[in-house]
Amino acid sequence: MTTTVDTLEAAVAAELDAEYAGVGWWGTLYRAPGRRRWYRLIPVEEIDGEQRSELLAWQTRPRRPDLVPVIPGEQGEQRQLAGRWFQVVSYETDAPRGLADALAGREPASGIASVAEALRALPAWRAAIGPELVALPADIVLAGHRPLLLPLPAWGAPSLGQVFAEPERLAHLTPEAARGLPTGDRDPGLHALGVAALRCFESPPDADTERLLQRAACTAVFAPRPHDSRLPSWMRRVEPVRAVREQLRALTTGLGSADPLRLADALDEAHRAMDPLTAVRALRTAGEPRKAVGLAHAALVDGPGYPLLILAAEIAHQDLRDPLEALSLLERAVHADPERGDAYTAQLSIIGGLWTVVQGRLAGATDGSFAHRLLTTARAAFDRLPPDLRRDHAHELAVCLIGQGELVEANTFVHKWLHDGDTLMWWRFDLMLDYAETFLLLGRLDAAEQVAEQVRAGLRRVRESGQRTRHDIHEHGMRYADLVRDLHLKRGGETGA
């Protein structure tokens, strides 16, 4: 429903050839960035001759990098707009938006970053204006990521009539001011920015002026109710977000105090933690992998999040030692973005590792259909890899094929990927040992022994040349030793020894 106030704002904006930008501590703000102008309109009855003289004096003040310059009005300092007379304060800036726009956006995180920068600028604004400075979000414009103040002389609070005319001003009042008492030790300017920050976390109440005044006077403009939260449920579980929210609540209810710079740092920390990847990594680093995966699942309710799925799968596999949970997450990643290869390589690595752990007996150790599904997944993952990556991950699929007993296919598969044209890549010891193992399991012992001898010669060559790390040589050497032992046992069994 369109109110009288909305109609007046629209009419003024049309006559001013500008857009309504919000309610300031004094007056209302309009922007015309195409003309490098912002305007503050104050009803003429609200200021006296002395105040008008102070405004004129600001037009000749030296410019400061943290304040938007006050300039003479194109059509005078007083204008009749929509049937009312206003004192017009003109500012020169092409800033396209203000802090009010950032707070009204759909992403609370962007508003938090802007409020943090405003808190850092607060000491300089006070030095220029006075310690009693109070700035509402519409009084602050954003030039890039840098906040600038649309300045006024240090007049203190506007009249009660003007405060009550706009509920937004009421929301930023200190409880003492709402009760008509001196502010005491409380900092009204910091309180106002604290309320602005809290608006990033919670929606302001939809209440009439009288009810809002009562809430402001009782220090509870924002009620701590879950349905009023602007944050998704997973984000409310993140510790830096919870901590700064409680700090803001204490500040705005008078139960605590804060230093602007430290509060800005806390908001920045919360802002970073609102990225689910950052929040999940932080829990992992803190030694809470199970909570990290749980938080990832909660965050994934809001969207598929391919990188988050990959990270959660990695934690499930490496930290929780839960390969099945990891594979479930990777399957979701594949559906989220079938064109990316990370999920496929991770699937191959995990499935290959499963068969390696049970020494090729997964099919017998578990339900056969389950092992078949794993092999099907591994085949699909390998086929979907970019061609230039398949050779790097051929070993993982070879292990799966061997473990499932597909020995002839495994032998042919490994032979293909061991050869680059006519060249045998003897230095791919993982595949060479796979090749030898397929011959051994097929009963072709001479072929297995021949490949094993090539592995032994290759390991000696790289050991002497220093082309491989000692760990790498040791790993392949241990597997070679197992192969030789199995060959010996096999030959002994054939001869009856």
Side-chain angles (χ1 to χ4, degrees):
M1 184 177 68
T2 302
T3 66
T4 303
V5 173
D6 294 333
T7 303
L8 175 63
E9 291 166 358
V12 170
E15 293 188 31
L16 198 59
D17 190 22
E19 296 177 341
Y20 175 74
V23 180
W25 189 229
W26 279 77
T28 51
L29 281 302
Y30 294 80
R31 61 177 157 232
R35 302 198 306 276
R36 295 183 56 82
R37 293 290 184 271
W38 279 62
Y39 304 100
R40 185 190 301 271
L41 272 57
I42 306 172
V44 292
E45 63 271 16
E46 290 297 315
I47 61 175
D48 56 28
E50 183 178 348
Q51 289 172 310
R52 281 191 283 273
S53 296
E54 290 182 84
L55 286 175
L56 290 173
W58 268 78
Q59 297 176 10
T60 58
R61 271 193 165 201
R63 296 196 173 193
R64 294 178 54 116
D66 46 354
L67 302 180
V68 178
V70 180
I71 61 172
E74 302 101 323
Q75 300 182 40
E77 312 307 320
Q78 291 189 0
R79 291 180 60 181
Q80 187 178 29
L81 299 164
R84 293 188 63 185
W85 280 94
F86 296 95
Q87 183 77 25
V88 180
V89 186
S90 300
Y91 300 98
E92 183 182 44
T93 176
D94 59 359
R97 65 192 192 115
L99 180 58
D101 299 294
L103 297 181
R106 298 184 62 183
E107 294 296 331
S110 62
I112 289 172
S114 298
V115 176
E117 290 306 310
L119 284 164
R120 290 193 174 91
L122 183 59
W125 294 343
R126 282 176 168 158
I129 306 288
E132 66 276 23
L133 168 71
V134 176
L136 269 56
D139 292 314
I140 300 167
V141 300
L142 303 177
H145 294 293
R146 180 185 178 193
L148 302 175
L149 182 67
L150 300 171
L152 274 182
W155 290 341
S159 70
L160 285 177
Q162 284 299 292
V163 170
F164 293 141
E166 294 287 353
E168 185 165 346
R169 292 195 186 104
L170 284 171
H172 290 79
L173 281 178
T174 64
E176 295 83 3
R179 295 195 294 266
L181 301 174
T183 58
D185 295 333
R186 191 191 294 269
D187 183 336
L190 181 58
H191 174 87
L193 284 178
V195 172
L198 200 53
R199 285 174 54 186
C200 300
F201 297 87
E202 302 173 20
S203 299
D206 185 12
D208 57 30
T209 301
E210 182 178 348
R211 178 62 178 151
L212 196 58
L213 177 62
Q214 292 173 350
R215 297 182 71 154
C218 294
T219 73
V221 171
F222 291 88
R225 294 187 297 240
H227 65 269
D228 286 331
S229 177
R230 295 185 61 194
L231 306 179
S233 60
W234 73 266
M235 204 176 285
R236 299 198 292 271
R237 294 164 51 181
V238 177
E239 184 53 35
V241 176
R242 290 164 57 94
V244 79
R245 191 177 179 185
E246 290 306 312
Q247 188 177 357
L248 290 169
R249 187 173 296 284
L251 171 66
T252 56
T253 57
L255 300 177
S257 59
D259 172 80
L261 301 184
R262 289 184 179 177
L263 181 56
D265 290 341
L267 284 169
D268 280 342
E269 186 178 356
H271 178 236
R272 288 189 293 270
M274 287 178 169
D275 171 30
L277 289 170
T278 300
V280 169
R281 288 192 186 106
L283 283 173
R284 184 188 195 184
T285 301
E288 299 280 1
R290 193 164 300 281
K291 286 185 178 179
V293 174
L295 183 64
H297 276 293
L300 287 165
V301 171
D302 295 324
Y306 182 92
L308 185 56
L309 285 162
I310 295 295
L311 175 61
E314 179 185 308
I315 297 172
H317 183 218
Q318 297 180 2
D319 299 58
L320 298 180
R321 301 291 190 266
D322 189 345
L324 300 185
E325 168 72 359
L327 287 172
S328 174
L329 289 160
L330 290 171
E331 187 62 28
R332 292 173 64 182
V334 166
H335 289 297
D337 193 342
E339 301 303 317
R340 297 177 66 170
D342 313 43
Y344 302 128
T345 58
Q347 283 178 321
L348 284 167
S349 176
I350 293 172
I351 295 172
L354 282 173
W355 264 295
T356 300
V357 167
V358 296
Q359 298 177 331
R361 294 188 294 274
L362 184 66
T366 64
D367 178 73
S369 63
F370 172 70
H372 178 73
R373 288 199 304 273
L374 287 180
L375 180 59
T376 300
T377 300
R379 288 183 198 269
F382 186 83
D383 290 341
R384 290 169 180 168
L385 282 175
D388 59 330
L389 291 180
R390 288 178 187 167
R391 194 181 304 277
D392 293 339
H393 296 277
H395 166 66
E396 284 97 330
L397 184 55
V399 169
C400 300
L401 291 169
I402 294 169
Q404 186 66 4
E406 303 288 348
L407 301 177
V408 174
E409 181 184 354
N411 183 270
T412 303
F413 175 83
V414 175
H415 180 272
K416 171 185 176 181
W417 292 105
L418 261 176
H419 288 80
D420 185 4
D422 295 330
T423 302
L424 173 68
M425 292 185 290
W426 57 265
W427 56 90
R428 282 295 304 270
F429 298 119
D430 52 353
L431 288 175
M432 289 288 287
L433 289 162
D434 293 337
Y435 200 33
E437 186 175 349
T438 59
F439 282 127
L440 174 67
L441 294 173
L442 286 167
R444 298 172 59 182
L445 303 188
D446 290 342
E449 192 167 336
Q450 180 181 353
V451 177
E453 178 59 27
Q454 290 176 297
V455 171
R456 185 184 68 81
L459 287 172
R460 183 177 66 248
R461 187 184 310 177
V462 297
R463 184 184 298 112
E464 292 171 353
S465 66
Q467 293 175 335
R468 294 287 184 89
T469 65
R470 296 179 65 178
H471 175 76
D472 194 29
I473 293 172
H474 175 75
E475 289 293 313
H476 294 307
M478 292 295 292
R479 191 177 169 202
Y480 164 76
D482 290 340
L483 176 67
V484 171
R485 180 201 62 202
D486 292 344
L487 265 170
H488 177 73
L489 293 174
K490 195 85 168 177
R491 285 199 182 280
E494 287 185 349
T495 60

